[in-house]
Amino acid sequence: MVQDFGSKIKLGKGKPLPYGVSEHGTGVNFAIYAREKSDMALVLYEPAQATSSASTGSKKQTKVVLRLDPHVNRTGHVWHVHVYPYLEGFEYMWKVGKDEDINPKWGTNLALDPYALVLKTPMGPKSFNNHDLIPFRPRAVIPRRRFLDFDWKGVSSPKIPLKDIVVYEMHVRGFTMSGMSKTRAPGTYLGIVEKIPYLKALGVNCVELLPVFEFNECEWNLKNPVSGKKLAQYWGYSTVHFFSPMNRYALEAGDLTAADEFRIMVRELHRAGMEVWLDVVFNHTAEFGDGGLPPGFFGMKALGLDTYYMRDAKGKYMDFTGCGNTVNCNNPVTAEWVHNCLRYWVHEMGVDGFRFDLAAAMCRDPKGNPMSDPPVIQRISKDPTMRDVKLVAEAWDCAGLYLVGNFPHYGVWAEWNGKYRDSARSFIRGVGHAKKDFATRLCGSKDLYGAGRRAYHSINFVTAHDGFSMMDLVSYNEKHNEQNGENNRDGEAHNGSWNCGVEGHTSDFAIRSLRMRQVKNFFVALMVSAGTPMVLMGDEYGHTKNGNNNGWCQDSDLSYFQWKKLAEEEGAKELLRFTTSIIRFRRKNKFLMRDHFIESSDIQWHGAQPFNPNWDSEYNFMACTLIDHEHGEDIYVAFNAGNHQYDVTIPDRGGRGRWYRIVDTNLPFPKDFNADKSVPAPSSYNMAPYSSLILKASREGGEIVAGNKFMSSYSLASFQRKQSAFGLALPSLPSVASFSDLADLAPQQLVGETTVTAEVLKSSPSCIDLAFPPPPTLHRTLSRWDLSKEP
């Protein structure tokens, strides 16, 4: 049999570029980087029967070993060969070095091609975490001809500005794997396609997928001590291969590859106006380090041990990731590989952005020292073909390199703002003196991102996959990870959580109501803050993991989106309705999705009385007016993050419209959210403990002349300055009906004791960027009109 197909193969010299496999004439070119100087062979296998119940490595498969001549098939450190004919569907591996020199720790000298586009591994969601299959032994596959051609049907990326994005962090399998998802393809890329209407209705416009590069979910042979079931590498932060999408997230039968189904998912999300971001793991690989499993068959250790991994002078793996090894990202060869990988996912797979796991590890030199200008970060940032791609750093690693606010950003990198998460948790649960820092976070974290970046470079989040869900954040003081099989030793011990009086599940109505309020308060904070908000899958309906804050191994209902809960439980429906409403409120009020930090001209701070924020108070009451410079529909937001009733005087509108209640998280469903401004707000408001309030100003009576751009009365009156810790406190103007009436008012009527001069006007926040007319008409410059025209 070997002779049957081996005798038909003809070899040529080949080319060193491009890496991986590529069509060339009637054959296929192979090229791979390897430090091996003399003994290199390409091993070809006849295609095995594709089934969901068998992996590769069958003894029945025939193979041919093609030994290469270093004088012919090696250019620099790249081995290459041209094979005729084009062997579509054949599997291949690289044999590195002599058999007698195999490292006993690895057990093999067969290496995967790091640039392969298709892998042969178990297919389909039913194969996921199936430990009954033969050992996981992936092989590369020669793809079909014109593999990169895909019918995008004229659909392009929506290219949403970062400031306008609401991110939804989700798990491909977990989103639809529950039996009540009612999808035809649960647990797959195509399952997400079936649920696009839900995502659209929720109001998010970007999905951030937990790792989808091929990984071995069966790499640990651990059991859940409670259920007795096998645990899994569920999250996928242990990448086996970086160019091929996870096969168990695709269907198990049919003509489509996982890459095809992935691209269908991307196309349909784009068609729906949604971006697709990937959570990528370039800080470590599944090859582990000195201890743990010895999966040498993955092969990067064999191809270039010190090229791809950091090791110290004694040959010991440096571990800045907590996973046994650290990828040597700033080695030139490795940096090129990372860059090429990202380009592939952008230009061939349609991906819009990336979140880089433990990105601080990518900022270390080959000796592990932090770098201010890491070559890999620099080349990604300055790639002219990726200028529209969103780049997001998890700006820390597991060895203490914390770069939040200091990541080498080149003006383009956003960051997961861990300080926003911590500040929001402290403030909402009522930790004393937390409001000053939270005010900074609400304004966009200028202290972190003010040097060369914008507010939207702060990815604001309260919860993420790693940690408590939002409902668990208000239900547990301690982690409960017993089901992970590590005696509750794993997971973060400091969560900034508060159980509201009882640990875990309870039937106590008062505690359940308080928890619901607190979750709503978190969503209010998230959606009114400057920056880019991120929502964790399931938080919108109150998903609980029963206090497990490290569900990396839980392939079960503990992690799955609970469609049954959403369909049957009134509390879940109530919270979903609120979450959907507050997301849509943010997207409707465009000035909340700002591209700049909130400055003193954009906000007025209040306490129980208007313009008196009382920053020195230990009690966490905070209120502000967010000013809508374009439409005059200002928003008043108040948080009573403490256990006292709080009587609040609402700022007077000065005859220019009135306030309407949008949100009071203390009120029962459906009064907690009023989208239509049907409930006028009183002049004073009694806020319940641990509640938040949103009022919105109407424009009735507020437009002095129809057709002109209107500025809110508080901005117009920004000449009388009451200095506070966070900017100007501004009074209101008298009501006037026309431009002429405004011109006839005495300066004292407009701004009290202040004299209206050109200098005063030019320095006023309400007159920024105005072209001032000659002095005789200067008294008419109190709004953003075209001052060259008379009304």
Coordinates of all heavy atoms in Angstrom, one line a residue, residues 384-458:
P384 N 0.2 48.0 8.5 CA -0.8 48.8 7.8 C -2.0 48.1 7.3 O -3.0 48.7 7.1 CB 0.0 49.3 6.6 CG 1.1 48.3 6.4 CD 1.5 47.8 7.8
T385 N -2.0 46.8 7.3 CA -3.2 46.0 6.9 C -4.1 45.7 8.0 O -5.1 45.1 7.8 CB -2.8 44.7 6.2 OG1 -2.3 43.8 7.2 CG2 -1.7 44.9 5.1
M386 N -3.7 46.1 9.2 CA -4.4 45.8 10.4 C -4.8 47.0 11.2 O -5.1 47.0 12.4 CB -3.7 44.8 11.3 CG -3.5 43.4 10.7 SD -2.5 42.3 11.8 CE -3.4 42.3 13.3
R387 N -4.9 48.2 10.5 CA -5.1 49.4 11.3 C -6.6 49.5 11.7 O -6.9 50.3 12.6 CB -4.8 50.6 10.4 CG -3.4 50.7 10.0 CD -2.5 50.8 11.2 NE -2.6 52.1 11.8 CZ -1.9 52.5 12.9 NH1 -1.0 51.6 13.5 NH2 -2.0 53.7 13.5
D388 N -7.5 48.7 11.2 CA -8.9 48.7 11.6 C -9.1 47.6 12.7 O -10.3 47.5 13.2 CB -9.8 48.5 10.4 CG -9.8 49.6 9.4 OD1 -9.6 50.8 9.8 OD2 -9.9 49.3 8.2
V389 N -8.1 46.8 13.0 CA -8.3 45.7 13.9 C -8.2 46.2 15.3 O -7.3 46.9 15.7 CB -7.3 44.6 13.6 CG1 -7.4 43.5 14.6 CG2 -7.4 44.1 12.2
K390 N -9.2 45.8 16.2 CA -9.2 46.1 17.6 C -8.2 45.2 18.3 O -8.2 44.0 18.1 CB -10.5 46.0 18.2 CG -11.5 47.1 18.0 CD -12.1 47.1 16.6 CE -13.1 48.2 16.4 NZ -13.8 48.2 15.1
L391 N -7.3 45.8 19.1 CA -6.3 45.1 19.8 C -6.5 45.4 21.3 O -6.5 46.6 21.7 CB -4.9 45.5 19.4 CG -4.5 45.4 17.9 CD1 -3.2 46.0 17.6 CD2 -4.5 43.9 17.5
V392 N -6.7 44.4 22.1 CA -7.1 44.5 23.5 C -6.1 43.7 24.4 O -6.0 42.5 24.1 CB -8.5 44.1 23.8 CG1 -8.8 44.3 25.3 CG2 -9.5 44.9 22.9
A393 N -5.5 44.3 25.3 CA -4.5 43.6 26.2 C -5.1 43.3 27.5 O -5.7 44.1 28.1 CB -3.2 44.4 26.3
E394 N -4.9 42.0 28.0 CA -5.0 41.7 29.4 C -3.6 42.1 29.9 O -2.7 41.2 29.8 CB -5.4 40.3 29.6 CG -5.6 40.0 31.1 CD -5.9 38.5 31.4 OE1 -5.2 37.7 30.7 OE2 -6.7 38.2 32.3
A395 N -3.5 43.3 30.5 CA -2.2 43.9 30.6 C -1.5 43.4 31.9 O -0.9 44.3 32.7 CB -2.3 45.4 30.6
W396 N -1.5 42.1 32.2 CA -0.7 41.6 33.3 C -0.3 40.2 33.0 O -0.8 39.6 32.0 CB -1.5 41.7 34.6 CG -2.9 41.0 34.6 CD1 -3.2 39.7 34.8 CD2 -4.1 41.7 34.4 NE1 -4.5 39.5 34.7 CE2 -5.1 40.7 34.5 CE3 -4.5 43.0 34.1 CZ2 -6.5 41.0 34.3 CZ3 -5.9 43.3 33.9 CH2 -6.8 42.3 34.0
D397 N 0.6 39.6 33.8 CA 0.9 38.2 33.7 C 0.9 37.6 35.1 O 0.5 38.2 36.1 CB 2.2 37.9 32.9 CG 3.5 38.5 33.6 OD1 3.4 38.7 34.8 OD2 4.5 38.6 32.9
C398 N 1.3 36.3 35.2 CA 1.2 35.6 36.5 C 2.5 35.8 37.3 O 2.7 35.1 38.3 CB 0.9 34.2 36.2 SG -0.7 33.9 35.6
A399 N 3.4 36.6 36.9 CA 4.6 36.8 37.7 C 4.8 38.2 38.1 O 5.9 38.7 38.4 CB 5.8 36.4 36.8
G400 N 3.7 39.0 38.2 CA 3.7 40.3 38.8 C 3.9 41.5 37.9 O 4.0 42.6 38.3
L401 N 4.0 41.2 36.6 CA 4.2 42.3 35.6 C 2.8 42.9 35.3 O 2.0 42.4 34.6 CB 4.9 41.9 34.3 CG 5.2 43.0 33.3 CD1 6.1 44.1 33.9 CD2 5.9 42.4 32.1
Y402 N 2.5 44.0 36.0 CA 1.1 44.6 35.9 C 1.3 45.9 35.1 O 1.9 46.9 35.6 CB 0.6 44.9 37.3 CG -0.8 45.3 37.4 CD1 -1.8 44.4 37.2 CD2 -1.2 46.7 37.5 CE1 -3.2 44.7 37.3 CE2 -2.5 47.0 37.6 CZ -3.5 46.1 37.5 OH -4.9 46.4 37.5
L403 N 0.7 45.9 33.9 CA 0.9 47.1 33.0 C -0.4 47.8 32.7 O -0.5 48.5 31.6 CB 1.5 46.6 31.7 CG 2.9 45.9 31.8 CD1 3.4 45.4 30.4 CD2 3.9 47.0 32.3
V404 N -1.4 47.6 33.5 CA -2.7 48.4 33.3 C -2.4 49.9 33.3 O -1.9 50.4 34.3 CB -3.7 48.0 34.3 CG1 -5.0 48.9 34.2 CG2 -4.2 46.5 34.2
G405 N -2.7 50.5 32.2 CA -2.4 51.9 32.0 C -1.1 52.2 31.5 O -0.8 53.3 31.1
N406 N -0.2 51.2 31.5 CA 1.2 51.4 31.0 C 1.6 50.4 29.9 O 2.8 50.2 29.6 CB 2.1 51.3 32.2 CG 2.0 52.4 33.2 OD1 2.2 53.5 32.8 ND2 1.6 52.1 34.4
F407 N 0.6 49.7 29.3 CA 1.0 48.8 28.3 C 1.5 49.5 27.1 O 1.0 50.6 26.7 CB -0.3 48.0 27.8 CG 0.0 46.8 27.0 CD1 0.4 45.6 27.5 CD2 -0.2 46.9 25.6 CE1 0.6 44.5 26.7 CE2 0.1 45.8 24.8 CZ 0.5 44.6 25.3
P408 N 2.5 49.0 26.4 CA 3.1 49.7 25.2 C 2.0 49.8 24.1 O 1.9 48.8 23.3 CB 4.3 48.9 24.8 CG 4.1 47.6 25.4 CD 3.3 47.8 26.7
H409 N 1.3 50.9 24.0 CA 0.1 50.9 23.2 C 0.2 51.4 21.8 O -0.7 51.1 21.0 CB -1.0 51.7 24.0 CG -0.6 53.1 24.3 ND1 -0.6 54.1 23.4 CD2 -0.1 53.6 25.5 CE1 -0.2 55.2 24.0 NE2 0.2 55.0 25.2
Y410 N 1.2 52.2 21.5 CA 1.4 52.8 20.2 C 0.1 53.5 19.7 O -0.1 53.6 18.5 CB 1.8 51.8 19.2 CG 3.1 51.1 19.6 CD1 3.1 49.9 20.2 CD2 4.4 51.7 19.4 CE1 4.3 49.3 20.7 CE2 5.5 51.1 19.8 CZ 5.5 49.9 20.5 OH 6.7 49.3 20.9
G411 N -0.7 54.0 20.7 CA -1.9 54.7 20.3 C -3.1 53.9 19.9 O -4.1 54.5 19.5
V412 N -2.9 52.6 19.8 CA -4.0 51.7 19.3 C -4.5 50.7 20.2 O -5.6 50.1 20.0 CB -3.5 51.1 17.9 CG1 -3.2 52.1 16.9 CG2 -2.3 50.2 18.2
W413 N -3.7 50.3 21.2 CA -4.1 49.2 22.1 C -5.1 49.7 23.2 O -4.9 50.6 23.9 CB -2.9 48.6 22.8 CG -2.1 47.7 21.9 CD1 -1.3 48.0 20.9 CD2 -2.1 46.2 21.9 NE1 -0.7 47.0 20.3 CE2 -1.2 45.8 20.9 CE3 -2.8 45.3 22.6 CZ2 -1.0 44.5 20.6 CZ3 -2.5 43.9 22.4 CH2 -1.7 43.5 21.4
A414 N -6.2 48.9 23.3 CA -7.1 49.0 24.4 C -6.7 48.0 25.5 O -5.8 47.2 25.2 CB -8.6 48.8 24.0
E415 N -7.2 48.2 26.7 CA -6.9 47.2 27.8 C -8.1 46.8 28.6 O -9.0 47.6 28.7 CB -5.9 47.9 28.8 CG -4.6 48.3 28.2 CD -3.7 49.1 29.2 OE1 -4.1 49.1 30.4 OE2 -2.7 49.7 28.8
W416 N -8.1 45.6 29.0 CA -9.1 45.2 30.1 C -8.7 46.1 31.3 O -7.6 45.9 31.8 CB -9.0 43.7 30.4 CG -9.9 42.9 29.6 CD1 -10.4 43.1 28.4 CD2 -10.3 41.6 30.0 NE1 -11.2 42.1 28.0 CE2 -11.2 41.1 28.9 CE3 -10.1 40.8 31.1 CZ2 -11.8 39.8 29.0 CZ3 -10.7 39.5 31.1 CH2 -11.6 39.1 30.1
N417 N -9.7 46.9 31.7 CA -9.4 47.8 32.8 C -9.7 47.1 34.1 O -10.8 47.2 34.7 CB -10.1 49.1 32.7 CG -9.7 50.2 33.6 OD1 -9.0 49.9 34.6 ND2 -10.1 51.4 33.4
G418 N -8.7 46.4 34.7 CA -8.9 45.7 35.9 C -9.2 46.7 37.1 O -9.9 46.3 38.0
K419 N -8.7 47.9 37.0 CA -9.0 48.9 38.0 C -10.4 49.3 38.0 O -11.0 49.6 39.1 CB -8.0 50.1 37.9 CG -6.6 49.7 38.2 CD -5.6 50.9 38.3 CE -4.2 50.5 38.7 NZ -3.3 51.6 38.8
Y420 N -11.0 49.4 36.8 CA -12.4 49.7 36.7 C -13.2 48.6 37.5 O -14.1 48.9 38.3 CB -12.9 49.8 35.3 CG -14.4 50.1 35.2 CD1 -14.8 51.4 35.0 CD2 -15.4 49.1 35.3 CE1 -16.2 51.7 35.0 CE2 -16.7 49.4 35.3 CZ -17.1 50.7 35.1 OH -18.5 51.0 35.1
R421 N -12.9 47.3 37.2 CA -13.6 46.2 37.8 C -13.5 46.3 39.4 O -14.6 46.2 40.0 CB -13.0 44.9 37.4 CG -13.5 43.6 38.1 CD -12.4 42.5 37.9 NE -11.1 42.9 38.5 CZ -10.0 42.4 38.1 NH1 -9.9 41.5 37.1 NH2 -8.8 42.8 38.6
D422 N -12.3 46.5 39.9 CA -12.1 46.6 41.3 C -12.8 47.8 41.9 O -13.4 47.7 43.0 CB -10.6 46.6 41.6 CG -9.9 45.4 41.1 OD1 -10.6 44.3 40.9 OD2 -8.7 45.4 41.0
S423 N -12.8 48.9 41.3 CA -13.4 50.1 41.8 C -14.9 50.0 41.8 O -15.5 50.4 42.8 CB -12.9 51.3 40.9 OG -13.5 52.5 41.5
A424 N -15.5 49.5 40.7 CA -16.9 49.3 40.6 C -17.4 48.4 41.7 O -18.4 48.7 42.4 CB -17.3 48.9 39.3
R425 N -16.7 47.3 41.9 CA -17.1 46.3 43.0 C -17.1 47.0 44.4 O -18.0 46.8 45.2 CB -16.2 45.1 42.9 CG -16.4 44.3 41.7 CD -15.6 43.0 41.7 NE -15.8 42.2 40.5 CZ -15.3 40.9 40.4 NH1 -14.6 40.4 41.3 NH2 -15.5 40.3 39.3
S426 N -16.0 47.7 44.6 CA -15.9 48.4 45.9 C -17.0 49.4 46.1 O -17.6 49.5 47.2 CB -14.5 49.0 46.1 OG -13.5 48.1 46.1
F427 N -17.2 50.2 45.1 CA -18.2 51.3 45.3 C -19.6 50.8 45.4 O -20.3 51.2 46.3 CB -18.1 52.2 44.0 CG -19.2 53.3 44.0 CD1 -19.1 54.4 44.9 CD2 -20.2 53.2 43.1 CE1 -20.1 55.4 44.9 CE2 -21.2 54.2 43.1 CZ -21.1 55.3 44.0
I428 N -20.0 49.9 44.5 CA -21.4 49.4 44.5 C -21.7 48.6 45.8 O -22.9 48.7 46.3 CB -21.7 48.6 43.3 CG1 -21.6 49.4 42.0 CG2 -23.1 47.9 43.4 CD1 -22.7 50.5 41.9
R429 N -20.8 47.9 46.4 CA -21.1 47.2 47.6 C -20.9 48.0 48.8 O -21.2 47.6 49.9 CB -20.2 45.9 47.7 CG -18.8 46.0 48.2 CD -18.2 44.7 48.3 NE -16.9 44.7 48.9 CZ -15.7 44.8 48.3 NH1 -15.7 45.0 47.0 NH2 -14.6 44.8 49.1
G430 N -20.5 49.3 48.7 CA -20.5 50.2 49.8 C -19.3 50.4 50.6 O -19.3 50.9 51.7
V431 N -18.1 50.0 50.1 CA -16.9 50.2 50.8 C -16.6 51.7 51.0 O -16.8 52.5 50.0 CB -15.7 49.6 50.0 CG1 -14.4 49.9 50.7 CG2 -15.9 48.1 49.9
G432 N -16.3 52.1 52.2 CA -16.1 53.5 52.5 C -15.1 54.2 51.7 O -14.1 53.6 51.3
H433 N -15.4 55.5 51.3 CA -14.4 56.3 50.6 C -14.1 55.8 49.2 O -13.0 56.0 48.7 CB -13.1 56.6 51.4 CG -13.3 57.3 52.6 ND1 -13.8 58.6 52.7 CD2 -13.2 56.9 53.9 CE1 -13.8 59.0 53.9 NE2 -13.5 58.0 54.7
A434 N -15.0 55.0 48.6 CA -14.7 54.5 47.3 C -15.2 55.3 46.1 O -14.9 55.1 45.0 CB -15.4 53.1 47.1
K435 N -16.0 56.4 46.4 CA -16.6 57.1 45.3 C -15.6 58.0 44.5 O -15.9 58.2 43.3 CB -17.8 58.0 45.8 CG -17.4 59.1 46.8 CD -18.7 59.7 47.3 CE -18.5 60.8 48.3 NZ -19.8 61.4 48.8
K436 N -14.6 58.5 45.1 CA -13.7 59.3 44.4 C -13.0 58.5 43.3 O -12.9 59.0 42.1 CB -12.6 59.9 45.3 CG -13.0 61.1 46.1 CD -11.7 61.7 46.8 CE -12.1 63.0 47.5 NZ -10.9 63.5 48.2
D437 N -12.5 57.3 43.6 CA -11.9 56.5 42.6 C -12.9 56.1 41.5 O -12.6 56.1 40.3 CB -11.2 55.3 43.2 CG -10.4 54.5 42.2 OD1 -9.4 55.1 41.7 OD2 -10.8 53.4 41.8
F438 N -14.1 55.7 42.0 CA -15.1 55.3 41.0 C -15.5 56.5 40.1 O -15.8 56.2 38.9 CB -16.3 54.7 41.6 CG -17.3 54.3 40.6 CD1 -17.1 53.2 39.8 CD2 -18.5 54.9 40.5 CE1 -18.0 52.8 38.8 CE2 -19.5 54.5 39.5 CZ -19.2 53.4 38.7
A439 N -15.5 57.7 40.6 CA -15.8 58.8 39.7 C -14.7 58.9 38.6 O -15.1 59.3 37.4 CB -15.8 60.1 40.5
T440 N -13.5 58.7 38.9 CA -12.4 58.7 37.9 C -12.7 57.6 36.9 O -12.5 57.8 35.7 CB -11.1 58.4 38.6 OG1 -10.8 59.5 39.5 CG2 -9.9 58.4 37.6
R441 N -13.1 56.4 37.3 CA -13.4 55.3 36.4 C -14.6 55.6 35.5 O -14.6 55.4 34.3 CB -13.6 54.0 37.2 CG -12.5 53.6 38.1 CD -11.2 53.4 37.4 NE -10.1 53.7 38.4 CZ -9.1 54.5 38.0 NH1 -9.0 54.9 36.8 NH2 -8.2 54.8 38.9
L442 N -15.6 56.2 36.1 CA -16.8 56.6 35.4 C -16.4 57.6 34.3 O -17.0 57.6 33.2 CB -17.8 57.2 36.3 CG -19.2 57.6 35.7 CD1 -20.3 57.3 36.7 CD2 -19.3 59.0 35.3
C443 N -15.5 58.5 34.5 CA -15.1 59.5 33.5 C -14.1 59.0 32.5 O -13.6 59.8 31.6 CB -14.5 60.7 34.3 SG -15.7 61.6 35.2
G444 N -13.8 57.7 32.5 CA -13.0 57.1 31.4 C -11.5 56.7 31.8 O -10.7 56.4 31.0
S445 N -11.2 56.9 33.1 CA -9.9 56.5 33.6 C -8.8 57.3 32.9 O -7.8 56.7 32.4 CB -9.7 55.0 33.5 OG -10.5 54.2 34.3
K446 N -8.9 58.6 32.9 CA -7.9 59.4 32.2 C -6.5 59.2 32.9 O -5.5 59.4 32.2 CB -8.3 60.9 32.3 CG -7.4 61.8 31.5 CD -8.0 63.2 31.5 CE -7.1 64.1 30.6 NZ -7.6 65.5 30.6
D447 N -6.5 58.9 34.2 CA -5.2 58.7 34.9 C -4.5 57.6 34.3 O -3.2 57.5 34.4 CB -5.5 58.5 36.4 CG -6.4 57.3 36.6 OD1 -7.3 57.0 35.9 OD2 -6.1 56.6 37.7
L448 N -5.2 56.6 33.7 CA -4.5 55.4 33.1 C -4.3 55.6 31.6 O -3.3 55.2 31.0 CB -5.4 54.2 33.3 CG -5.7 53.8 34.7 CD1 -6.6 52.6 34.8 CD2 -4.4 53.5 35.5
Y449 N -5.2 56.2 30.9 CA -5.2 56.2 29.4 C -5.1 57.6 28.8 O -5.3 57.8 27.6 CB -6.5 55.5 28.9 CG -6.6 54.1 29.5 CD1 -7.6 53.8 30.4 CD2 -5.7 53.2 29.2 CE1 -7.8 52.6 30.9 CE2 -5.8 51.9 29.8 CZ -6.8 51.6 30.6 OH -6.9 50.4 31.2
G450 N -4.8 58.6 29.6 CA -4.8 60.0 29.1 C -3.6 60.3 28.3 O -3.6 61.3 27.6
A451 N -2.5 59.5 28.4 CA -1.3 59.8 27.6 C -1.3 59.1 26.3 O -0.8 58.0 26.2 CB -0.1 59.4 28.5
G452 N -1.9 59.7 25.3 CA -1.9 59.1 23.9 C -3.1 58.2 23.6 O -3.1 57.6 22.5
R453 N -4.0 58.0 24.5 CA -5.2 57.2 24.2 C -6.5 57.9 24.6 O -6.5 59.0 25.1 CB -5.1 55.8 24.9 CG -4.0 54.9 24.3 CD -4.0 53.5 24.9 NE -3.3 53.5 26.2 CZ -3.1 52.4 26.9 NH1 -3.6 51.2 26.4 NH2 -2.4 52.4 28.0
R454 N -7.6 57.2 24.3 CA -8.9 57.8 24.5 C -9.7 57.0 25.5 O -9.2 55.9 25.9 CB -9.7 57.8 23.2 CG -9.1 58.6 22.0 CD -9.1 60.1 22.3 NE -8.6 60.9 21.2 CZ -9.4 61.4 20.2 NH1 -10.7 61.2 20.3 NH2 -8.9 62.1 19.2
A455 N -10.8 57.5 25.9 CA -11.6 56.8 27.0 C -12.0 55.4 26.5 O -12.1 54.5 27.3 CB -12.9 57.7 27.3
Y456 N -12.3 55.3 25.2 CA -12.7 54.0 24.7 C -11.6 52.9 24.7 O -11.9 51.7 24.5 CB -13.4 54.1 23.3 CG -12.5 54.8 22.2 CD1 -11.3 54.2 21.7 CD2 -12.8 56.0 21.7 CE1 -10.6 54.8 20.8 CE2 -12.1 56.7 20.8 CZ -10.9 56.1 20.3 OH -10.2 56.7 19.3
H457 N -10.4 53.3 25.0 CA -9.4 52.3 25.1 C -9.5 51.6 26.5 O -8.7 50.6 26.7 CB -8.0 52.9 25.0 CG -7.7 53.3 23.5 ND1 -7.5 54.6 23.1 CD2 -7.6 52.5 22.4 CE1 -7.2 54.6 21.8 NE2 -7.3 53.4 21.4
S458 N -10.3 52.1 27.3 CA -10.6 51.4 28.6 C -11.8 50.4 28.4 O -12.9 50.8 28.1 CB -11.0 52.4 29.7 OG -11.5 51.7 30.8

